[in-house]
Amino acid sequence: MIINSNINILGGLSEFELIKTFLIDSNSDKKSHLEYSDIRTLKAVKRFKKAIEESFISKDEDINNLFLGSIKNENIYENLYILFLLFSFNNDLFRHLNDSIFFPVYYSGRKIIKREEVESCLIELKKTSATLNSWSGSTITTTASKYLTLLKKFGLLTGVQKKEIVYKNLTSIEFLLFIYFLSIAEENSNKINSEWIKYSFYENEFFLQKILEKQLISYIEVQYNGDNLKLKPMINYDILYDTVKSS
């Protein structure tokens, strides 16, 4: 597991529009940092730029091509789910916390996630991680707090003192983008037991019902025989968004 401080950096980013700026303009750090009202130094702008690029630009070009159209053309706050998926894909620690804390709470029906739960998860991980082993108690507390802040920024938690789950219903476009994402992110050709399915916010049974609906037939070829699920995208990743929006 590769661990960095990007949860803390992005958790401190108050203006999410900066994410879009850096993702569509690689020269943004040459602009005056005064464009960003709460960032006062060029050094800070560069620090945010580095964290944003590491967090939302993947080494897998298919992933980048899949999501870039939506990021370019939609308000960043219409892309919070996509940002959540990208950060989960690109940041090992964020995904570990999602898998260990957020989704177990989400699917259990509980409503509240406590910072202490996240801290305990990090302390347990610290036993096997050389990187985390050097983190102080205050760094762990800060990271736990920033993790919950990020989930709130992604629209998945609400509240100030108590962080309460926001139950997510994907739009039809979000669900289609997720299926294409799943076809890439899950390396096993059989997607049925993929750990990524929970990121659709459906339990496996309901996910299967949804994916087998006929309205998706123009976009994805689905083969399912009861214990094997195969997905074959019908549209190139880089034009999927434009194709869906124009249909």
Side-chain angles (χ1 to χ4, degrees), residues 70-134:
S70 181
I71 291 172
K72 279 185 174 180
N73 293 288
E74 299 288 352
N75 182 291
I76 199 68
Y77 296 102
E78 297 298 319
N79 278 305
L80 295 180
Y81 173 64
I82 287 175
L83 296 180
F84 171 69
L85 275 184
L86 283 170
F87 196 33
S88 301
F89 186 76
N90 292 323
N91 189 286
D92 291 345
L93 182 58
F94 187 73
R95 183 181 175 189
H96 177 79
L97 292 173
N98 290 341
D99 293 346
S100 301
I101 302 294
F102 175 73
F103 282 113
V105 172
Y106 186 94
Y107 285 110
S108 74
R110 282 175 52 199
K111 291 187 176 182
I112 302 295
I113 297 181
K114 296 180 180 180
R115 190 196 68 208
E116 291 78 8
E117 294 178 82
V118 186
E119 288 180 6
S120 295
C121 182
L122 290 169
I123 290 170
E124 185 64 27
L125 183 61
K126 184 176 181 178
K127 297 176 182 178
T128 58
S129 168
T131 302
L132 273 180
N133 193 48
S134 65

Side-chain angles (χ1 to χ4, degrees), residues 221-225 228-232:
E221 180 181 316
V222 180
Q223 298 178 11
Y224 178 59
N225 65 7
N228 194 309
L229 175 67
K230 293 187 176 180
L231 305 174
K232 181 181 178 181

Side-chain angles (χ1 to χ4, degrees), residues 3 17 50 64 70-71 114 145 198 235:
I3 295 176
E17 284 294 339
K50 181 176 182 293
N64 296 331
S70 181
I71 291 172
K114 296 180 180 180
S145 178
K198 58 179 170 284
I235 309 294

Side-chain angles (χ1 to χ4, degrees), residues 161-178:
Q161 296 299 323
K162 291 185 177 181
K163 298 297 192 297
E164 186 171 336
I165 292 281
V166 174
Y167 287 93
K168 177 74 176 175
N169 290 312
L170 300 188
T171 66
S172 57
I173 292 179
E174 286 175 335
F175 185 68
L176 181 59
L177 287 169
F178 171 76

Side-chain angles (χ1 to χ4, degrees), residues 192-209:
I192 192 63
N193 294 315
S194 174
E195 289 297 314
W196 286 108
I197 288 179
K198 58 179 170 284
Y199 283 76
S200 70
F201 297 96
Y202 288 106
E203 293 179 329
N204 282 36
E205 178 183 352
F206 292 104
F207 172 79
L208 282 170
Q209 292 178 11

Side-chain angles (χ1 to χ4, degrees), residues 4-5 7-8 11 93-94 97-98 101 113-123 132 135-152 157 163:
N4 56 38
S5 60
I7 289 176
N8 291 349
L93 182 58
F94 187 73
L97 292 173
N98 290 341
I101 302 294
I113 297 181
K114 296 180 180 180
R115 190 196 68 208
E116 291 78 8
E117 294 178 82
V118 186
E119 288 180 6
S120 295
C121 182
L122 290 169
I123 290 170
L132 273 180
W135 285 18
S136 66
S138 62
T139 300
I140 286 178
T141 296
T142 298
T143 302
S145 178
K146 294 299 185 183
Y147 169 71
L148 295 178
T149 296
L150 270 178
L151 288 179
K152 185 176 179 180
L157 292 179
K163 298 297 192 297

